[in-house]
Structure formats: C-alpha cells, structure tokens
Amino acid sequence: MQPALPPGSSCPGPEWPEQERAERLARGAALKWASGIFYRPEQLARLGQYRRREVQRTCSLETRIKSVVQSYLEGVKTGVCQLAQALEALQGAREALGQTHGLFQVMAEAAQTLEPLREQFAQHRQLQALSQLLPRLRAVPAAVVHTQTLIDAHQLLEAYVSLRELEQLQEETWASLGGLELPVFEGLGPLAEALGQAVEMAVGAAGQLAREDPTLLVAAVRVAEVEASRTTSLEQAPRDWRQRCLRALEKGLEQVHFGTPLLPEPGALAGWLEALQVALPAELATAEALIAPCCPPHYKVVQLWAHTLHSGLRRCLQQFLEGPELGANDAFTLLHWALHVYPGPEMMGSLELGPEADVSQLEPLLTLENIEQLEATFVSKVRANVVQWLQKALEGEIAEWGREQEPDTDLSGFYYSPMPAIVLQILEENIRVASLVSESLQRRVHGMALSELETFLRSFIDALIRFSRDHLRREAMVPHYVSYLLAALNHQSALSSSVSVLQPDGVASGALTAVQAALDELQRRICRLVLEALLVELQPPFATLPSRRWLSSPEMLEDVCERTKRFCRNFCRVRNPAFQPSSQVLLAEAERTVVLQYLCALMQGRLVCRGADERNLAAERLQHDAAQLRDLFLHLGLEESVQCAPVLLTLRKLLNLRDPTMLGLEVASLRQQFPDVSEDHVSALLDLRGDVSQEQRLAALSSLQDGSQPSPPAGRRALFSLVPAPTPAPSNCIFSGICV
C-alpha cells in the first residue's frame, strides 16, 4: 500500500510515472531479496537480526537527508537577506537620480536665456575676422586670374604655389567664419582642375618632354607629389594627382604606339611588327635614361613603361585578331614574333634591360586561345596552298605523259622527273618553317603534310588508272605508255626512299603508316598496269597457241619472246629499290605473267594430240619453250631460282608418259609441286594428250583426292589458281579419248 500524502504536498503523486515505476522496482527488488533470504526455514531464526540492520540503515539515511535539507534552508535564508539589502540600495539610487534630473532641467532653462548672447558673440567674432581678412579677400579675383595665366604659360610650380596660397586663405576664412563659404572662392575649384589637367597633359607627353623640356616634366611631377602629401581642413574630396599622372603616363604611351589609327592593315603586319621591334626597345631605353631621372623612385618608371607597352601591345593584338581572318604569312609572322622575337634578346629579353623592368611578371603576349586560333588559321591556309601546289605538280606530270618522246633520264640513265623532289620540298619546307614557331605547330603541319601527301598519292593512282584506261581503249594513244609507267614507278621509289625527311625528331614512326600504305598501293597499281600492258602485247601470239604449227615450228614462241624482250628492255631504267637484283620485282612479275598466259593457252583445248608422235612433239615443244623462256629472262637479268617456267617441264612429263595407266603418279607429283592445281586443269591436260580413256581419267583424277592437301613449296607462288579452269564441252560420248 502507498502512504497517503497530505493536501498541498509538493511530493509527486501518481501523476509522476517515474516515481511509481521506481517504487515498483524497489518493491520487486525487496521481495526478490526477501524470498531469496527466507527461502529455507532455518534462516527464519535470523529475521530479528535482519530487521535491526535495516532499522539502523533507515535511521542513517534519514539523518543524512535531514542534514542536507538543513544546509539548503540556511543558504536560502542568507540569499533572502541579501536580496532585501539590494532592494534598499536600489531604492536609494532611484531617489538620487530623480533629484539630479530635476537639477538638469533647471540648468537647461537657465542656458536658454543665454542663447541670444552666444549668437551675438559668434557674429562679433566673424565680423572681427572678416575685417582682418578683407584686404586679402579683395586680392583673390586678381590672384585667380594670375594663377590661370601661370597655368597657361606652363609655369606649373608657380601656379601651384599661388593656388595653395589661395586655398590656405580659403581655409583660414572657413575656420574663422565657422564653416561659412564665401562666393569669392567659387573659382578655386575650376582653377585647381585646370592645373590638374595641365599637370596630366605634361606627364602624358613625358616621352617628348624628357627630350625637349625635362624641366616642365619635373615641375609637373613635383606638383603631383606635393599635392599627394597635402592635408586640408575643408570638407573636400582629395585630389589624387599622383594616380592621374601614372594613368596619364600609361595612356600617353599607349596612344603613341597603339592608337587606333596605328593598327596594321591586313598584309601589313610584318612591317608593323618590325617597326615595333625597333620602337619598343628605344622607348624603354628612353624611359630608363631620360624619364626615370625626372620621376621619384616609387614611380618605377622603367617597370611602368615595360608593363604599359606590353599590355597595350597585348590589347592591340587581341583587337587585331578579332578582325578579319589572317593569311598564312601574317599568322606565321605573328606567331614567330610573339613567341620568339618579342621575348628574345632583341626586345624584352635584352641584357641591357635592367631588373627594374621586371619583365618576368609579364603575361604571355598571346593567350593559349590566340595561339590555337593562329595555328589553326596557319594550317588551314597552308593546306589550301599545298593542295594547290601539289595539284599543279600532278597536272604538270600528267601533261608529260602525252609527249612523243620518252621520259627524261638522269645521269645514270634512269627515268627522272622533278615532281617527287618538288612534292617533298613543298612539304618539307612547310614543316621546317612551322618548326621555327613551336613544336605544336610543327606537329600540326606535319600531320597536314602527311595527310595531303596521302591524298596526292591517291590522286596520282587515279590519274594513272585514267591514263591506262584511255590508252587501252584507244581514246588517247601514247607512244611511250610503258616508259611513263616505269617513270611513275621511279617517282614512287623516290618518294618512298625520301619520305622519311618529313619525319621530325621525336615524332613516332607510326605517323608514316598511312603514307607508306599509299606508296605500296601506288607501287602495286603501277606494276599491275605494266603487266596489263604486257598482257595486251602478248595477246595476239598466245591467241593461236598451241596449234599444229606450234608443234613443228618455234616461231610462235619466238614471237612471244621477241615481244617480251622488246617490252622489258626499259626495265633497266627503273631505279632501286623497285628493281633490285635481290627481288627483281618487275622482271619476276613479267616472267610469271608470260608463264600464266602460256598455261591459259594450253588449257583452252585448242589442240588435241592425234598420236604418240604428236605427244612427243608437244613434250619437246614444252621443253624447248621452257628453255627459251629461261634463257630470255636470264638474259634480261632474272635469276633462274625465281622463274616460273620450270612448270612447263613438269607438264612435259605428263604429256611424255607412254603408259596412261601411270598418269596417277604424274598427277600426284604435279599436285605435290603445285597444290593449287585443280581437276579441271588436269582434265584439260589429259585432253591435250588425246589418248586417255574415261576410266584412266577417273583414276588419274582420283589421285588428286588421295591424302591431305600438301603445303606449297617454300618460295613458290600460286600459278594454277590464277589460270581460268576450262569449261568442258558438252558431249554424248562416254569415252572421249576414243571419240577423238
């Protein structure tokens, strides 16, 4: 049960949930403790002992609580006493303040009666001061006129002294009259402004005055300096003539060199920069030798001159770049001048320029955006010029192809044209010129040069294709068609061997990959056109080969050899490396073309041997023709190891075989040497024999299917895959050999 609380008690009741919860916890803990202690009957004997101990603990707690409450009550009593004393002191101070306020009101009423007397006294003092200053005040208008005369006569020091006397009189009058301004001093403001303008004009022409009248310049600077240290009692804004002088120095200097009428016209930039290259160092020398001695050290005239000239030039160039787009020459001139000449030893980097110029703190003359703009303009203009020059060089070369005489030759007898040298010189010169400015511009121009060279090579290839097409269609017969193709091959060789000169130091070699690919494509295209011309030349004799006449006479192949020899006689005029003794590209391709044409003729089925004698003649003719072709190209300079004519000796064995049942071995041997041979090719060769039955043909062809596909011998290129497979003629016969 909870104890009942008396009415008005401040102890928390049930409305304090914390107290109720604490009591429940305490009761629960007590019950838990009691149940644990008196759980066994033998412990009930100690109940009295536990009761006495709890009574003692309760008495101790009550004693401590009473002592704490007593201590708090004593403190509250002391505080109440102190508050009563403070209240009595505040009441006494309030009464004293009320008495004082009454006394002040009495004194204010007495002072109001003295106000008229005070005003009379102030007026008396003003009249007394005015009577004393009256003679001097009468002379003020004349002094103002005299000061203006001195200003007009450029006697600045005397004018400033006179002005200061007038202003001192004004200050005395103002102080004596209690801040009253007299109309007689109204002209001092315009007079001071006129003197300030005269000082500003004199300092603005410092460059000219330092040579002609340094006294006037010194006087103007002294006036500005004295004025800077002057103090006044008047409520006037300070006249900052020192700053006006510094601004006048800057403005006058900029106006002389960078005024609007002095901006260069498009195309006249080089001359304008050359004039500045002479004028700016001379101006700095004048500032150091003549103007600096006329000014105080804190003016830092040389530094001011250098920074003013630099900022004026920088602003002028910004305005210039915002105008019409520059040409290539102007863009290059401005870049080179701003990046090399201006900071170089001839101008801002001169050893004669002392440390007081402080040029190390100058901003770059051109911003990164300006440099980017100029470089882009230069590359764009140069690209247009390069395209035009390369087009003219190509048109000049194309015009040479229609001449009646052979191409020109050099001292070594090789076909020669100045076009490759002209092309490389154009590109190399532009890259070299760009390197005089910066590495970034050099990289840009280098990339542009390689791109335009690649485009030029593609255009050259297209021109050769049109040249060949017109010639082969008989639209424009060229007497020396092949010679000019060989001359073009020399051009490719010259460009390929010299294109490395376009590679600046530090640029990755991979930049030439596209150009090298275009050069390789040009070489392949020229070789293809030459071989196509050879095919046209060999088409008439191969159109009737093989035949009965071919079996009995070597004249037909002699015609082929003669035509080939005549066609290849100018191959010796092709310069290395396109025609090297180690590879002999053109001769090897020509020999391969002749052999391929020979094989194509054999596969056409124009001839079928009628017996063993004709087969022997055909085998002998193949052997003779192989030897004749070998000797021909050995005479022309082609090594025997790279020749393709030995394939005819292999075919000879196929024709010379007496036992048709053994054809499978020869066909397998043929397939081993030439894995690209097909069944159609073998069928055409068996048709040439004329004695192969259907069973023997099938047995021979089955040998092509036996085993895995052999690998081609090392160094041997495909032949039969380039020979069109003959289309077998329709026949109702089962055994073609018997029908024949």
Side-chain angles (χ1 to χ4, degrees):
M1 296 179 60
Q2 294 182 356
L5 296 176
S9 175
S10 61
C11 294
E15 67 272 9
W16 293 76
E18 292 83 358
Q19 179 186 3
E20 183 178 359
R21 182 170 177 271
E23 288 181 355
R24 286 200 304 269
L25 291 176
R27 290 178 181 275
L31 290 174
K32 184 177 180 181
W33 174 80
S35 63
I37 292 297
F38 304 112
Y39 181 72
R40 287 181 291 182
E42 60 269 18
Q43 291 187 353
L44 293 175
R46 303 173 61 182
L47 180 60
Q49 182 181 355
Y50 286 126
R51 180 179 298 166
R52 288 192 299 272
R53 187 169 63 184
E54 291 301 321
V55 170
Q56 292 175 0
R57 183 183 298 174
T58 303
C59 292
S60 176
L61 289 175
E62 291 177 352
T63 303
R64 291 171 62 187
I65 291 173
K66 289 179 180 180
S67 64
V68 171
V69 171
Q70 183 66 29
S71 176
Y72 279 124
L73 291 175
E74 291 177 357
V76 170
K77 182 178 180 181
T78 302
V80 171
C81 293
Q82 291 177 352
L83 288 175
Q85 294 174 0
L87 179 61
E88 293 178 359
L90 286 175
Q91 290 177 351
R94 182 178 181 181
E95 293 176 358
L97 287 175
Q99 295 175 1
T100 305
H101 180 67
L103 292 175
F104 275 124
Q105 288 181 349
V106 173
M107 293 178 64
E109 293 174 357
Q112 288 179 359
T113 59
L114 297 177
E115 187 64 27
L117 181 61
R118 185 182 295 109
E119 292 178 358
Q120 293 293 330
F121 178 73
Q123 292 177 1
H124 176 74
R125 289 184 60 185
Q126 290 178 357
L127 290 174
Q128 182 180 7
L130 188 61
S131 62
Q132 295 176 356
L133 295 174
L134 188 59
R136 298 170 62 187
L137 293 176
R138 290 177 179 175
V140 168
V144 170
V145 174
H146 176 67
T147 304
Q148 185 63 50
T149 303
L150 293 176
I151 293 173
D152 296 338
H154 301 295
Q155 297 180 12
L156 302 182
L157 285 176
E158 292 81 356
Y160 183 71
V161 171
S162 178
L163 176 63
R164 287 295 300 127
E165 291 177 352
L166 291 173
E167 289 179 341
Q168 289 175 0
L169 178 59
Q170 182 184 17
E171 292 176 3
E172 293 177 8
T173 304
W174 182 83
S176 300
L177 299 181
L180 180 64
E181 291 286 347
L182 297 181
V184 72
F185 294 110
E186 291 179 353
L188 293 187
L191 185 65
E193 182 61 25
L195 180 57
Q197 292 179 358
V199 169
E200 187 175 354
M201 291 178 59
V203 175
Q208 179 182 359
L209 292 180
R211 299 181 183 90
E212 300 175 359
D213 190 4
T215 304
L216 179 58
L217 175 61
V218 172
V221 173
R222 288 184 61 186
V223 168
E225 286 301 302
V226 173
E227 178 63 23
S229 60
R230 181 181 69 88
T231 58
T232 178
S233 58
L234 298 178
E235 296 178 356
Q236 296 177 348
R239 298 193 293 255
D240 198 355
W241 286 0
R242 177 188 292 172
Q243 292 300 321
R244 290 179 64 176
C245 287
L246 294 176
R247 288 194 295 268
L249 285 173
E250 297 176 358
K251 184 177 179 181
L253 189 58
E254 291 181 0
Q255 190 66 28
V256 170
H257 295 284
F258 311 113
T260 303
L262 300 177
L263 289 176
E265 296 293 333
L269 180 62
W272 184 68
L273 293 178
E274 289 178 0
L276 288 180
Q277 187 174 345
V278 176
L280 297 189
E283 192 69 48
L284 289 174
T286 300
E288 186 174 5
L290 300 179
I291 302 177
C294 298
C295 301
H298 60 266
Y299 271 45
K300 298 181 180 179
V301 171
V302 180
Q303 178 182 352
L304 176 67
W305 240 242
H307 286 240
T308 301
L309 291 174
H310 179 79
S311 60
L313 178 58
R314 194 168 186 266
R315 184 172 58 257
C316 181
L317 292 180
Q318 295 292 334
Q319 296 175 359
F320 185 69
L321 291 176
E322 292 172 359
E325 187 178 22
L326 302 182
N329 292 335
D330 284 348
F332 170 79
T333 301
L334 181 53
L335 279 172
H336 183 264
W337 193 87
L339 298 180
H340 297 281
V341 177
Y342 181 74
E346 298 180 2
M347 296 190 68
M348 291 302 184
S350 175
L351 297 177
E352 298 179 359
L353 197 60
E356 58 273 8
D358 196 19
V359 295
S360 61
Q361 302 299 323
L362 297 178
E363 295 179 336
L365 195 59
L366 297 177
T367 64
L368 295 178
E369 291 77 8
N370 297 146
I371 296 175
E372 176 72 19
Q373 174 188 350
L374 289 172
E375 287 185 355
T377 300
F378 177 76
V379 173
S380 174
K381 300 296 183 180
V382 170
R383 183 189 294 273
N385 294 336
V386 167
V387 169
Q388 183 178 1
W389 295 332
L390 295 183
Q391 184 63 29
K392 288 183 179 180
L394 181 59
E395 292 173 354
E397 181 64 22
I398 294 174
E400 293 288 323
W401 294 344
R403 296 195 310 174
E404 296 293 333
Q405 62 268 25
E406 288 189 349
D408 298 332
T409 58
D410 58 12
L411 298 179
S412 300
F414 299 117
Y415 288 139
Y416 169 78
S417 171
M419 185 197 70
I422 292 174
V423 170
L424 290 176
Q425 182 180 2
I426 290 173
L427 301 179
E428 182 185 6
E429 182 64 20
N430 281 285
I431 295 174
R432 186 193 64 80
V433 168
S435 67
L436 300 177
V437 175
S438 64
E439 292 185 2
S440 62
L441 183 60
Q442 184 185 22
R443 286 193 298 270
R444 283 171 175 260
V445 175
H446 176 255
M448 179 274 298
L450 295 184
S451 174
E452 293 305 323
L453 179 57
E454 181 184 0
T455 303
F456 171 78
L457 293 174
R458 304 294 179 190
S459 301
F460 192 30
I461 293 174
D462 295 340
L464 286 173
I465 294 174
R466 292 193 299 270
F467 174 57
S468 175
R469 181 188 61 208
D470 295 343
H471 174 74
L472 296 179
R473 291 179 180 177
R474 309 292 180 180
E475 296 178 4
M477 294 300 297
V478 181
H480 302 284
Y481 170 71
V482 177
S483 298
Y484 280 101
L485 289 180
L486 298 178
L489 198 57
N490 277 348
H491 302 343
Q492 185 274 342
S493 175
L495 290 172
S496 182
S497 61
S498 303
V499 72
S500 59
V501 302
L502 303 180
Q503 188 78 355
D505 297 336
V507 178
S509 58
L512 296 176
T513 302
V515 174
Q516 196 60 51
L519 288 170
D520 295 341
E521 175 63 22
L522 175 60
Q523 181 181 7
R524 288 192 295 270
R525 177 63 65 177
I526 295 173
C527 291
R528 190 180 306 168
L529 295 178
V530 171
L531 297 179
E532 288 175 358
L534 178 60
L535 289 176
V536 173
E537 183 71 20
L538 297 179
Q539 188 175 1
F542 276 119
T544 58
L545 189 149
S547 63
R548 306 282 173 193
R549 181 184 171 193
W550 168 72
L551 290 175
S552 59
S553 173
E555 294 179 358
M556 298 185 68
L557 190 67
E558 288 178 355
D559 186 20
V560 172
C561 293
E562 183 62 31
R563 288 171 179 263
T564 304
K565 182 179 179 180
R566 184 172 61 251
F567 186 90
C568 297
R569 72 176 184 272
N570 289 332
F571 283 9
C572 61
R573 297 187 181 275
V574 178
R575 183 183 294 276
N576 296 336
F579 184 72
Q580 296 176 347
S582 60
S583 61
Q584 307 166 355
V585 177
L586 278 178
L587 278 179
E589 292 297 329
E591 191 264 350
R592 187 164 177 264
T593 301
V594 173
V595 173
L596 286 173
Q597 287 298 103
Y598 196 104
L599 293 176
C600 290
L602 287 179
M603 301 297 171
Q604 296 304 314
R606 299 191 186 105
L607 175 66
V608 177
C609 296
R610 298 173 179 173
D613 294 338
E614 287 191 355
R615 284 192 296 276
N616 291 334
L617 288 176
E620 291 177 0
R621 179 53 53 204
L622 287 176
Q623 182 179 7
H624 180 271
D625 291 351
Q628 195 170 357
L629 290 175
R630 180 197 63 200
D631 295 339
L632 169 64
F633 283 98
L634 283 176
H635 175 72
L636 292 175
L638 182 64
E639 297 178 359
E640 186 175 357
S641 60
V642 298
Q643 294 187 17
C644 299
V647 67
L648 302 181
L649 300 179
T650 304
L651 301 182
R652 169 186 170 276
K653 295 179 182 179
L654 192 63
L655 291 177
N656 203 28
L657 186 66
R658 297 182 182 276
D659 186 1
T661 60
M662 303 297 291
L663 285 173
L665 296 176
E666 291 298 333
V667 171
S669 176
L670 177 63
R671 178 171 176 261
Q672 192 67 29
Q673 298 181 50
F674 302 96
D676 58 330
V677 68
S678 66
E679 293 183 0
D680 294 335
H681 295 135
V682 174
S683 295
L685 294 173
L686 296 180
D687 291 340
L688 179 60
R689 282 182 59 90
D691 64 339
V692 182
S693 65
Q694 185 69 11
E695 292 80 1
Q696 293 170 345
R697 179 187 300 272
L698 293 176
L701 293 178
S702 65
S703 63
L704 291 175
Q705 307 298 330
D706 296 341
S708 60
Q709 180 74 16
S711 301
R716 177 168 292 178
R717 299 171 61 187
L719 281 176
F720 286 96
S721 60
L722 301 178
V723 177
T727 304
S731 176
N732 295 326
C733 298
I734 297 177
F735 304 104
S736 59
I738 296 176
C739 291
V740 171

